[in-house]
Amino acid sequence: MRVLRRQTQALLSALVVTVASTLGSCSSSNGIRCSFANPARLAESSWPKFQRDLQNSGSIAVPRPGVDLRVTAQFRDPTGGGFSAGPVLGNGPAGNAKKDGRVYIGSSSGRLFALDSTTLTELPETEFTFTTTSRIQSTVLVATRQEGEVLFFGSDLGFVYGITHTGTPQAQVWPLNTGGATGIAPALHPTDGTVYATSAARALYGICPNGVTRFVNTSIAPVTSAPAVTPAGEVVYGGDDRLLRMERSDGFLLWSISLSAPLRNGPVIEVDTEEPTAVKAIYALDSNARLFKVAPNGTLLYAIPISSDASGRSPSVVGSPALAKDRLYLATTEGDLFAIDTQTGAVVWSWAAHSEFVASPVVLDHGDARTIVIGNTNGNLYLIEDSGNAPGAVLAVPLGAPIRNAIAVSATQQTPILFVADEQGTLSRLE
């Protein structure tokens, strides 16, 4: 009863805040009103956003990687900045026949780079250029409109940018100022083009396709997680207020669940494979390594602490979990990678790197098998096979600098191509 009472109180508190803030302006300061004409859609590249899809699954269907995986190209940030956001893949202008032809990545120097995905050479300024005055710490979301790709991302100064594949602002009033550093990555409504962005200024923003604020839902604490979006367009996110929320595309609160600690990564939505428009469950991993499974209607199905040792002591978590079929993969700052049974929340197996994981894992789904790929602060990129009840073969590829972001994966070749960014400003292509 006490747990129910606490959850009810949290729901009522969040509802009051949400209703008050949802009544915010639907027009910009210069009188331009919200328009849903020509909405953006998620790009059809292999890896267009943080954890690949709108549900933040972090998994992709590809063949097994080669055992002789090696670096075939590298790019070094010429400004001397580091990469605090992950790479994503796109194609550029409309009609470009080369799938995954571009890599986009933001730098701590404020530069957003567009690179040729084969050579990792920077595109000429005549094709793309973008610079801002603060660190780009959010991973880009690549979408498309009729005229080609459009990019959404945020900065430390609190701006959410919407630019074209040439680096110029989209029409009409982009960028939008949230007043605080933006979160890990923006998200996108699958049909009406609403952009969702979290802000350290204690809010979730819903932004119309033309850059006008659709709604602002405020909180009592910073909100920096990476929202996940259902096939119907509901948005799921959390923050330092220790709440996980689901809201409609207009910002109306549907439900909230109390967590044990802040949620600073991305929740994951499990879609029904037999009915792709239906949601089976939602998973959230808070910073105290407690895993929550929630039904689509907000019913808490389980809340299980993930322990690193026999003492039951909970480690801390930074990265988001990744989902493939009946397994959830998560990593801790104590250097452990866990495979979790999604039905029960039980640990199926674990593997120790003996140095901290901050990056989010990515799953290469081979149909009959899976490989988990994750970077470590010791400078290694690890590829760990899931052999069922235990971890299988492990491949460590040394890259020389701490890796704190999720990788991007291209599925255009016979074997997957991996793109890995490190904190010292080097982006590597591995195949």
Side-chain angles (χ1 to χ4, degrees), residues 54-70:
L54 294 176
Q55 289 74 51
N56 289 345
S57 74
S59 65
I60 185 171
V62 289
R64 291 176 181 271
V67 295
D68 59 343
L69 192 69
R70 68 189 190 282

Side-chain angles (χ1 to χ4, degrees), residues 283-296:
Y283 302 91
L285 181 67
D286 69 22
S287 58
N288 277 353
R290 185 175 289 268
L291 177 64
F292 294 80
K293 181 178 181 179
V294 185

Side-chain angles (χ1 to χ4, degrees), residues 142-327:
V142 186
T144 56
R145 284 203 171 109
Q146 294 171 350
E147 61 273 17
E149 283 181 344
V150 290
L151 313 177
F152 301 101
F153 56 95
S155 72
D156 266 1
L157 281 182
F159 287 96
V160 179
Y161 294 92
I163 63 174
T164 71
H165 61 270
T166 64
T168 58
Q170 296 182 64
Q172 293 171 330
V173 292
W174 294 95
L176 183 140
N177 187 0
T178 71
T182 56
I184 299 170
L188 185 69
H189 191 288
T191 56
D192 73 20
T194 299
V195 176
Y196 303 108
T198 55
S199 172
R202 301 176 295 183
L204 171 77
Y205 278 75
I207 311 169
C208 301
N210 61 343
V212 172
T213 301
R214 183 177 185 183
F215 66 84
V216 183
N217 286 350
T218 58
S219 172
I220 61 171
V223 183
T224 56
S225 67
V229 182
T230 72
E234 296 96 351
V235 59
V236 182
Y237 68 102
D240 282 11
D241 57 5
R242 305 186 180 191
L243 290 175
L244 177 73
R245 303 174 178 84
M246 175 185 275
E247 294 169 3
R248 289 190 324 214
S249 59
D250 60 2
F252 182 83
L253 179 69
L254 297 173
W255 52 257
S256 69
I257 291 289
S258 296
L259 308 177
S260 69
L263 183 71
R264 295 174 180 148
N265 51 38
V268 178
I269 295 173
E270 182 180 14
V271 175
D272 191 328
T273 55
E274 296 182 357
E275 190 178 348
T277 60
V279 173
K280 290 182 66 176
I282 296 144
Y283 302 91
L285 181 67
D286 69 22
S287 58
N288 277 353
R290 185 175 289 268
L291 177 64
F292 294 80
K293 181 178 181 179
V294 185
N297 64 359
T299 301
L300 180 63
L301 301 176
Y302 60 64
I304 298 175
I306 306 300
S307 301
S308 286
D309 53 39
S311 69
R313 180 169 55 90
S314 293
S316 62
V317 167
V318 175
S320 301
L323 175 69
K325 298 183 175 70
D326 58 348
R327 295 267 167 103

Side-chain angles (χ1 to χ4, degrees), residues 22-36:
T22 303
L23 298 177
S25 172
C26 287
S27 62
S28 67
S29 58
N30 58 5
I32 298 176
R33 298 194 63 80
C34 175
S35 171
F36 293 98

Side-chain angles (χ1 to χ4, degrees), residues 388-412:
N389 294 325
V394 177
L395 174 65
V397 182
L399 293 177
I403 303 166
R404 298 181 178 273
N405 303 297
I407 69 168
V409 183
S410 176
T412 59

Side-chain angles (χ1 to χ4, degrees), residues 118-163:
T118 301
T119 62
L120 293 190
T121 53
E122 188 175 358
L123 298 181
E125 290 187 0
T126 53
E127 294 185 34
F128 183 90
T129 180
F130 181 86
T131 303
T132 185
T133 57
S134 68
R135 181 173 67 119
I136 299 173
Q137 89 290 353
S138 74
T139 298
V140 173
L141 184 147
V142 186
T144 56
R145 284 203 171 109
Q146 294 171 350
E147 61 273 17
E149 283 181 344
V150 290
L151 313 177
F152 301 101
F153 56 95
S155 72
D156 266 1
L157 281 182
F159 287 96
V160 179
Y161 294 92
I163 63 174

